[in-house]
Amino acid sequence: MLTALLVVLFSILIVKAWLENQRNKKEVQGINNIAPPGPKGVFGSVKILSQVGKIPFLDFHKISQKYGSILNLDLNTKNILILSQYENIKEVHSNCLADNRAPIEIPNLIFTGSKESKGVLLNSGSAWQELRRFTIRSLKDLGINKSASEETVLTESNALVEEIRRQMKSKNVVDVDLMFNKAVLNVVWKFVSNQRYEYDDVKLEKLMRVLNTFMNIGQKIMGKPIGIFPILRFFPPFRWVFLECYNGVKELRDMIQESIDEHIKTFDKNDPKDFIDMFLSELNTTDKMTIDQLLICCTDLFIAGSETSSKGLMFAMALMIRHPDIQTKVQEELDSTLQGKTFVSMSDKKNLPYTEAVINEVLRFCNVVPVVAPRSNTDDIKIDKYTVKKNTTIMTNTYSVHMDEDYWKDPNVFRPERFIKNGQYVHDERNIPFGIGRRRCLGEGLARMENFLFFSNLLLNFRFYPDKEMPSIDPVPGFSNGPAAFCTRVEERF
């Protein structure tokens, strides 16, 4: 009898525990904690990923149109979430629980030379927070977004104009791709190490090779088998791809390290001249402020501030050639506003609304960096009505935001007037070429200054025409996206 009673009591306890467990599950996975939509099983997820080809952001856009703006892919060992809607991207990018970079071993090896995360771009946690704060503060102290940076960009803008004139003496056809790359690299190098190079300097040619490496990383690593399965770097043909990219970025790191060593020899704490000096001023004040971190922070500045700006300028020039009426309208605004002034400065910007609108329409229309480096959430987070599991790899596609037909109405039309209201330029919060939220591009201010001063001064001085054929605006994928290199016929306007 006693045994039977104990069995009944034990059974009741088991049932009670089971019911409690089910109740807890409902609280965690109930109607307020719905998993994001996605295909069932690994096979369905792999099938969707197999649709991603040479231009990932276009394929992500097609996938979002078919499966929805929030898509969860279950790969058994990890989840991948693809976001394509502005509100969802804004929500995630403003959430401190989604600040971390997702583990991306191969890019980390290439950019830092080790598996350890360093610098700002690919770092996470307190190291990322501290180094980002320091970098923003240092660039501000060096005059970024102020007169000091304007002087640097105007110097390079004048050099670019003179280089075009020099090339026009022998022919009126100019390869603007190489010149844009050199101009932008000089601006970045000036802030990093207080140096600039003449356009025929071998050191500048060396920096140019790094841009080709960034292109290879985007084309051959990101989203490709070696980028997903790091072990492939030990086996051909992936081995050769990895080494090509690794050695290319190592050449940049070696060049920066050489400059750091030179700075150490001449360092004056009371007279910091550039970013390297600013970092040396606080060297070893914390465990994050080390020479290794300085090296990668400088590398990050090149990655974020060189290729993206030069490709944006290439797109802008291609579109002016393809839309001569818009080029004319910009030049008419420049002429009427400047009234004989020989160069455009930042003080003129407020009086050049159409020029500003054209530049921002280029950034929206061309999507130089449509898919940013993926994030990972340190805890479960909410997106809309869904709960995203901890340690999900979160990818965002700003191309879908910029090509949202419900919002822009005619997103596939290049129409600068969409940013004009009552004759004035009006910023649109959904135009997010530099990202959004807590990891927004820290060099956005300088990049926008470069875009404005380079573009407006070129159009003030020259008229650009197609050479043998119209330049393409189809994206050539890389670490960022740009048009295929092209030449342009150039005529002096004055």
Side-chain angles (χ1 to χ4, degrees):
M1 184 69 180
L2 181 59
T3 301
L5 182 60
L6 289 174
V7 168
V8 170
L9 289 172
F10 186 66
S11 299
I12 291 173
L13 289 173
I14 290 177
V15 171
K16 184 179 179 182
W18 181 83
L19 290 172
E20 184 68 26
N21 184 51
Q22 291 301 108
R23 192 179 304 113
N24 289 336
K25 278 188 175 182
K26 285 184 178 181
E27 289 176 0
V28 174
Q29 299 176 352
I31 191 167
N32 295 321
N33 291 277
I34 306 170
K40 291 184 178 179
V42 175
F43 178 77
S45 296
V46 171
K47 184 179 179 181
I48 289 179
L49 282 177
S50 69
Q51 299 172 25
V52 180
K54 292 183 178 180
I55 308 179
F57 70 90
L58 293 180
D59 293 319
F60 283 154
H61 183 61
K62 293 176 184 176
I63 290 169
S64 70
Q65 289 180 315
K66 183 175 181 180
Y67 295 99
S69 60
I70 300 177
L71 177 64
N72 184 66
L73 302 178
D74 184 357
L75 299 179
N76 194 22
T77 57
K78 66 177 178 180
N79 280 33
I80 296 177
L81 192 75
I82 301 175
L83 302 178
S84 305
Q85 188 181 73
Y86 172 73
E87 289 83 2
N88 297 330
I89 293 174
K90 183 178 180 180
E91 184 177 1
V92 170
H93 285 214
S94 301
N95 191 333
C96 63
L97 296 176
D99 278 346
N100 280 4
R101 284 290 181 221
I104 40 180
E105 185 174 330
I106 292 297
N108 230 9
L109 283 168
I110 290 172
F111 288 125
T112 71
S114 70
K115 292 183 180 181
E116 182 184 354
S117 294
K118 300 175 185 176
V120 178
L121 186 62
L122 299 180
N123 217 337
S124 299
S126 61
W128 163 72
Q129 292 175 346
E130 181 177 332
L131 291 168
R132 179 181 171 87
R133 280 196 299 266
F134 170 80
T135 301
I136 292 173
R137 185 177 73 250
S138 297
L139 293 177
K140 183 178 179 180
D141 290 344
L142 288 168
I144 292 290
N145 306 335
K146 298 179 182 178
S147 58
S149 54
E150 180 178 3
E151 182 181 346
T152 297
V153 178
L154 280 175
T155 297
E156 207 55 51
S157 177
N158 291 334
L160 184 56
V161 168
E162 291 306 314
E163 178 64 15
I164 291 176
R165 287 190 175 126
R166 187 188 68 78
Q167 292 194 22
M168 287 174 62
K169 290 180 180 178
S170 57
K171 55 181 181 178
N172 68 340
V173 176
V174 174
D175 182 350
V176 290
D177 182 26
L178 293 175
M179 284 188 288
F180 286 172
N181 285 338
K182 291 178 178 180
V184 170
L185 281 169
N186 259 337
V187 171
V188 177
W189 193 244
K190 176 69 175 178
F191 282 104
V192 169
S193 68
N194 196 36
Q195 293 176 301
R196 80 168 296 275
Y197 300 116
E198 297 300 325
Y199 285 7
D200 58 354
D201 194 301
V202 292
K203 288 188 176 181
L204 190 55
E205 294 294 334
K206 189 175 182 179
L207 286 173
M208 289 283 291
R209 290 198 293 273
V210 176
L211 293 185
N212 292 330
T213 298
F214 292 161
M215 179 71 71
N216 286 333
I217 292 170
Q219 291 180 340
K220 301 176 181 179
I221 300 289
M222 304 300 286
K224 300 300 185 290
I226 185 175
I228 299 172
F229 304 106
I231 196 172
L232 292 177
R233 72 183 184 277
F234 297 111
F235 304 99
F238 304 105
R239 179 66 176 168
W240 321 130
V241 171
F242 172 75
L243 288 176
E244 180 184 14
C245 295
Y246 180 89
N247 291 330
V249 177
K250 184 179 183 300
E251 190 172 18
L252 171 62
R253 291 201 307 272
D254 289 345
M255 193 171 177
I256 295 172
Q257 185 63 60
E258 182 181 330
S259 184
I260 291 173
D261 293 339
E262 292 172 358
H263 276 67
I264 292 173
K265 293 176 184 177
T266 61
F267 175 60
D268 181 356
K269 188 173 184 177
N270 297 316
D271 186 26
K273 297 179 176 64
D274 50 45
F275 180 76
I276 294 176
D277 277 348
M278 297 291 286
F279 202 104
L280 291 176
S281 297
E282 298 191 26
L283 190 66
N284 297 326
T285 53
T286 72
D287 61 347
K288 310 296 189 302
M289 302 300 291
T290 65
I291 291 294
D292 283 349
Q293 293 286 11
L294 168 58
L295 175 61
I296 304 307
C297 283
C298 291
T299 305
D300 288 344
L301 290 174
F302 270 92
I303 295 169
S306 58
E307 191 191 40
T308 52
S309 293
S310 62
K311 286 183 175 178
L313 286 167
M314 283 293 290
F315 269 130
M317 200 54 57
L319 284 162
M320 292 304 95
I321 294 170
R322 294 173 66 93
H323 297 273
D325 56 325
I326 295 178
Q327 183 177 178
T328 297
K329 194 169 180 180
V330 170
Q331 289 168 334
E332 287 175 347
E333 182 182 65
L334 289 168
D335 293 343
S336 63
T337 300
L338 297 176
Q339 296 182 348
K341 186 179 173 182
T342 57
F343 67 94
V344 185
S345 65
M346 291 304 293
S347 62
D348 299 310
K349 186 176 180 180
K350 62 181 179 296
N351 299 318
L352 297 168
Y354 188 75
T355 303
E356 178 74 350
V358 169
I359 293 169
N360 279 273
E361 178 68 343
V362 169
L363 295 173
R364 181 201 69 83
F365 186 77
C366 294
N367 297 280
V368 175
V369 188
V371 181
V372 297
R375 300 186 179 208
S376 180
N377 50 319
T378 55
D379 203 344
D380 291 358
I381 62 172
K382 287 278 191 179
I383 303 178
D384 196 6
K385 61 184 178 182
Y386 303 112
T387 298
V388 180
K389 291 182 180 179
K390 176 181 177 180
N391 296 329
T392 292
T393 295
I394 303 172
M395 304 186 70
T396 57
N397 188 12
T398 58
Y399 175 85
S400 292
V401 176
H402 292 163
M403 293 293 153
D404 183 349
E405 291 186 0
D406 291 336
Y407 185 79
W408 301 103
K409 307 306 179 185
D410 55 352
N412 292 300
V413 176
F414 183 72
R415 187 170 61 83
E417 288 77 10
R418 71 178 78 247
F419 293 104
I420 297 290
K421 186 175 182 180
N422 298 325
Q424 296 299 313
Y425 166 75
V426 178
H427 170 71
D428 193 303
E429 67 172 4
R430 290 178 183 248
N431 191 23
I432 50 174
F434 298 97
I436 189 173
R438 295 167 58 85
R439 293 196 77 131
R440 191 182 185 114
C441 175
L442 55 82
E444 178 179 352
L446 178 60
R448 287 189 179 277
M449 181 183 289
E450 286 180 304
N451 286 333
F452 176 75
L453 292 177
F454 282 134
F455 177 77
S456 56
N457 278 294
L458 286 173
L459 264 63
L460 175 66
N461 285 277
F462 305 108
R463 181 79 186 178
F464 297 91
Y465 302 91
D467 181 22
K468 295 177 181 177
E469 58 185 22
M470 196 67 71
S472 171
I473 55 171
D474 291 337
V476 177
F479 192 71
S480 54
N481 301 291
F486 63 90
C487 291
T488 171
R489 284 193 300 112
V490 184
E491 288 183 2
E492 191 121 29
R493 295 189 64 229
F494 304 109

